[in-house]
Amino acid sequence: MKAIATLGRAIILSLLCAGIAGSAAPAPHDTWLRSWAASQQVPEPNNALPDADFRDATIRQVVRVTVGGRRIRVLLSNVFGTEPLRIDAAHIALSLAAASSRIDPASDRALTFDGSTRVVIPAGASYLSDPIVFSAPALQSLAITLYFPDAPARQTGHPGSRATSYVVHGNQVAAAELTDAKKVQHWYQLAGVEVAASAGARAIVTLGDSITDGNGSTTDGSNRWPDRLADRLQAMPATRDVAVLNHGIGGGRLLLDGLGPNALARFDRDVLAQTGVRYLLVLEGVNDLGTFTREGPQAPEAHAALVVRIIGAYRQIVARARAAGIKAFGATIMPYGGSDYYHPDAQNEADRQAINRWIRTPGNFDGVIDFDAVTRDPADSMQLRAALDKGDHLHPSVAGHRAMGDAISLELFK
């Protein structure tokens, strides 16, 4: 009898377990592709949001996805936080205008995290929302709205958003418009948007400095050179499933930290961890060259050593990308003669030319985008073309960004 009872309990337990397993519908097999992203850093004091603005606060942030999809999830970030970050509500909706807090109320959806509308993100971590059904067309602006009961212990964000964010007090995540909102041109605690895409979908990471980040472009205009590349990819049927992820950081360098981490330090997070990445386009180095002599001249031996170290950093990037199955394309460093910020001389120009020769040498990268040839003044190779110069002789104008985006062969990504 005892053996029968034991057998009975085992059968009942087995049936219960089978019932539990069968009660949860299997999740659909989605191929996730990051369709929008921003590099994370600690906002410097003039770009940080005052703690008082973060307390009991709703922040609506507008981003533009590059590839569309019918299922979506959002990546929130507390990468540089020193304590757990609590977010009590998160919504996503179609934005009615890039330069407005207005949303399409019919499209508004609540985001959940492990089934809850609240999430606590550990210090140093990021957190993906649960997938939801949401129709996001390619090149569509989305409004992601977060409610913070209190300020982060240390903020994580992206200062160079070139997009307006809206801050109000109280929980207004579902509001059709945030009236009387404080406006800032920064993103906070927001790292990525992913869409469920076709099996062949893939992403390009553009790794760079303020030129890639969009200095010289228009706020809320989505006219940085990576934006122009995304526009062109969407116009061609063979490349409509290729996303463009802008991982430029203002002041970014290859070898030393600037306003954000150096390129090698952020490589794993900003390149390897991006879902679906198959291509890397590197435009970095002008700030390494410029800061080297900004405070005074350097000996010829020091210049030669800097060139060797910059090329060494490129080698590291290419090797790590190739090991992950990512094609690495090098972009030549653009001229910056006449820059009042860096005051380059003939030796700086010689360094730039030496590095560009290495970038152009076949085999060092998997392909080359010659931004130097596109943007330099034919009459003076140290200068940007006047029509493509923002005016500071360092950053491209809106026309310059467009010319750069137009110069990239789409054959690289077919």
Side-chain angles (χ1 to χ4, degrees), residues 227-382:
D227 296 323
R228 176 58 181 165
L229 174 59
D231 293 343
R232 293 179 59 227
L233 290 165
Q234 283 301 311
M236 181 179 289
T239 55
R240 283 180 184 156
D241 57 357
V242 180
V244 180
L245 308 178
N246 189 329
H247 280 284
I249 285 183
R253 288 182 270 180
L254 289 162
L255 303 175
L256 297 173
D257 291 351
L259 300 180
N262 68 76
L264 291 180
R266 63 189 178 98
F267 187 85
D268 286 4
R269 180 173 64 248
D270 286 357
V271 180
L272 299 185
Q274 301 303 303
T275 314
V277 61
R278 294 294 178 270
Y279 313 103
L280 170 65
L281 201 164
V282 183
L283 174 60
E284 193 107 52
V286 69
N287 292 321
D288 295 83
L289 293 174
T291 56
F292 182 63
T293 56
R294 190 178 181 196
E295 302 301 323
Q298 299 281 352
E301 297 81 4
H303 278 275
L306 176 68
V307 170
V308 168
R309 291 187 64 214
I310 288 175
I311 290 173
Y314 285 142
R315 291 184 191 276
Q316 288 287 310
I317 287 171
V318 172
R320 292 168 70 181
R322 287 173 175 168
I326 298 168
K327 289 187 176 181
F329 305 130
T332 50
I333 300 172
M334 296 151 58
Y336 62 108
S339 165
D340 289 335
Y341 191 66
Y342 285 140
H343 311 287
D345 60 15
Q347 184 59 59
N348 294 111
E349 177 64 6
D351 295 345
R352 185 179 76 90
Q353 294 290 354
I355 292 165
N356 281 348
R357 281 195 298 273
W358 187 89
I359 292 171
R360 292 186 181 107
T361 301
N364 288 335
F365 280 95
D366 297 310
V368 178
I369 293 89
D370 202 342
F371 284 151
D372 171 50
V374 171
T375 61
R376 70 174 179 249
D377 186 340
D380 184 352
S381 62
M382 285 186 65

Side-chain angles (χ1 to χ4, degrees), residues 211 215-217 334-335 371-378 383-407:
I211 295 173
N215 194 315
S217 66
M334 296 151 58
F371 284 151
D372 171 50
V374 171
T375 61
R376 70 174 179 249
D377 186 340
Q383 300 272 353
L384 291 169
R385 293 174 186 252
L388 307 183
D389 189 343
K390 170 190 169 182
D392 64 0
H393 311 301
L394 176 63
H395 298 100
S397 61
V398 171
H401 278 281
R402 186 179 183 90
M404 293 169 67
D406 285 344

Side-chain angles (χ1 to χ4, degrees), residues 128-280:
L128 274 168
S129 71
D130 301 329
I132 61 169
V133 175
F134 185 92
S135 183
L139 305 180
Q140 171 68 44
S141 291
L142 307 179
I144 299 168
T145 312
L146 309 175
Y147 173 66
F148 298 83
D150 209 344
R154 183 169 68 176
Q155 294 173 31
T156 296
H158 187 83
S161 65
R162 271 83 196 180
T164 304
S165 299
Y166 306 86
V167 184
V168 295
H169 287 292
N171 186 343
Q172 301 187 47
V173 291
E177 184 174 9
L178 301 182
T179 57
D180 300 321
K182 177 176 180 176
K183 298 178 182 181
V184 293
Q185 276 75 52
H186 315 298
W187 288 311
Y188 299 100
Q189 319 297 150
L190 183 61
V193 175
E194 297 184 358
V195 297
S198 65
R202 53 219 185 272
I204 306 163
V205 169
T206 61
L207 187 71
D209 48 44
S210 59
I211 295 173
T212 299
D213 203 21
N215 194 315
S217 66
T218 306
T219 299
D220 300 317
S222 294
N223 52 14
R224 316 162 188 84
W225 72 259
D227 296 323
R228 176 58 181 165
L229 174 59
D231 293 343
R232 293 179 59 227
L233 290 165
Q234 283 301 311
M236 181 179 289
T239 55
R240 283 180 184 156
D241 57 357
V242 180
V244 180
L245 308 178
N246 189 329
H247 280 284
I249 285 183
R253 288 182 270 180
L254 289 162
L255 303 175
L256 297 173
D257 291 351
L259 300 180
N262 68 76
L264 291 180
R266 63 189 178 98
F267 187 85
D268 286 4
R269 180 173 64 248
D270 286 357
V271 180
L272 299 185
Q274 301 303 303
T275 314
V277 61
R278 294 294 178 270
Y279 313 103
L280 170 65

Side-chain angles (χ1 to χ4, degrees), residues 74-129:
V74 174
L75 182 68
L76 304 182
S77 180
N78 191 28
V79 163
F80 293 103
T82 56
E83 295 180 13
L85 172 68
R86 176 178 159 188
I87 297 174
D88 276 1
H91 276 222
I92 189 168
L94 300 180
S95 170
L96 289 180
S100 168
S101 70
R102 292 183 300 118
I103 63 168
D104 174 10
S107 70
D108 185 51
R109 298 288 183 274
L111 295 173
T112 60
F113 305 84
D114 306 313
S116 172
T117 57
R118 298 179 178 180
V119 62
V120 178
I121 307 174
S126 299
Y127 216 100
L128 274 168
S129 71

